[in-house]
Amino acid sequence: MPSSINGANITTNNNGQVTKIVDGNETITIEYGAFSRADNFNVKATIKDDYDTETFYMQTNKQGFATYVLQVYSDPTAGENEDGTDTWRFEYSADGQLTRLQRSESGDDFTITYANGDIIKVVQVDNNNDRNEYTINYTDGKPNKGCVLMFDGFFGIDMDEMGIFYYAGLLGNATKNLPMGYIEKNKDGDTYTETFHWEFDANDFPTKFWSGDNVWDAVTWSWN
């Protein structure tokens, strides 16, 4: 568990569960128990900033990972559904790694393929039945010692606000190794190659990541 991600500080309870993540003016709080909103949920999270609050009601499986999430906006006109909500559905392998994501907002359906504990292919199909495919490269990469994971940045899996909940242990297990880039093939058959860059501390924990030449948009981790 990193102590911070991009300067966002993580708080855990006595059970080791993440209960708060503070990132500038944005505060994420996570509660564990029983919550009811038409369905029964056992995790409730809120993301609050100076302008808005979003609430996430989550159902988890026996592994403790979210399988169904109801995202409720404070603005009733937001969200894909008429009641100001969005929904997320997740599937996992027996090893606890995310294998499928379906979301109502975009209609995206992501199928994730693994080999030896690493994501090697991601196929995205949107609500127009257009298909994008990502092939992941691990050549010259290092073992994922810190279990870091960025669904969007590493694999093209559009998680939006949900992505941070990986660090609360709610979105499955990390890849065995750190990716070094990908080849994207879009619906027209065009391809695009992205190269990743990493920096590490003396113990080989990752401290910095960026894609291509976008070093100004780097992600950083701090470790205790």
Side-chain angles (χ1 to χ4, degrees):
M1 173 71 68
S3 57
S4 70
I5 308 161
N6 254 10
N9 295 313
I10 301 172
T11 301
T12 58
N13 61 19
N14 292 334
N15 296 322
Q17 296 169 308
V18 173
T19 56
K20 183 182 288 188
I21 301 174
V22 178
D23 183 6
N25 67 341
E26 183 176 87
T27 299
I28 300 166
T29 57
I30 305 172
E31 303 172 72
Y32 306 87
F35 308 92
S36 181
R37 184 189 164 95
D39 296 292
N40 291 318
F41 301 90
N42 53 340
V43 176
K44 178 184 177 183
T46 59
I47 299 179
K48 184 176 182 179
D49 59 24
D50 294 339
Y51 306 100
D52 196 17
T53 300
E54 297 176 21
T55 306
F56 301 78
Y57 295 91
M58 306 186 191
Q59 294 176 351
T60 60
N61 61 13
K62 292 180 179 179
Q63 297 166 304
F65 304 136
T67 55
Y68 173 70
V69 179
L70 178 67
Q71 181 178 357
V72 182
Y73 297 89
S74 57
D75 178 0
T77 65
E80 185 68 21
N81 303 318
E82 292 182 357
D83 59 352
T85 66
D86 286 323
T87 55
W88 305 72
R89 297 182 186 276
F90 304 91
E91 298 176 12
Y92 303 87
S93 68
D95 295 324
Q97 292 181 306
L98 183 66
T99 58
R100 191 175 183 187
L101 160 63
Q102 297 170 289
R103 50 180 304 191
S104 65
E105 179 181 355
S106 58
D108 283 336
D109 189 342
F110 292 90
T111 302
I112 306 162
T113 302
Y114 292 79
N116 300 318
D118 289 327
I119 295 175
I120 59 169
K121 182 186 290 187
V122 175
V123 175
Q124 172 196 7
V125 178
D126 66 19
N127 54 7
N128 295 317
N129 212 32
D130 290 331
R131 173 189 172 104
N132 287 340
E133 182 176 305
Y134 298 82
T135 302
I136 318 303
N137 169 39
Y138 294 86
T139 303
D140 298 326
K142 290 190 176 186
N144 192 358
K145 190 173 181 180
C147 294
V148 298
L149 196 153
M150 294 172 53
F151 290 102
D152 301 64
F154 294 174
F155 308 114
I157 303 170
D158 189 7
M159 281 281 190
D160 284 343
E161 306 93 335
M162 279 295 302
I164 192 63
F165 296 118
Y166 165 75
Y167 286 99
L170 291 165
L171 293 176
N173 294 322
T175 55
K176 180 179 178 181
N177 297 290
L178 294 172
M180 296 303 294
Y182 60 72
I183 299 174
E184 177 186 358
K185 183 178 180 180
N186 64 23
K187 63 184 179 64
D188 298 319
D190 300 324
T191 60
Y192 169 76
T193 300
E194 186 64 277
T195 301
F196 296 162
H197 306 276
W198 294 89
E199 292 181 3
F200 300 88
D201 65 16
N203 296 311
D204 270 345
F205 284 91
T207 56
K208 191 173 183 179
F209 162 87
W210 68 98
S211 300
D213 297 327
N214 301 324
V215 65
W216 60 85
D217 200 29
V219 176
T220 59
W221 296 271
S222 298
W223 305 89
N224 291 325

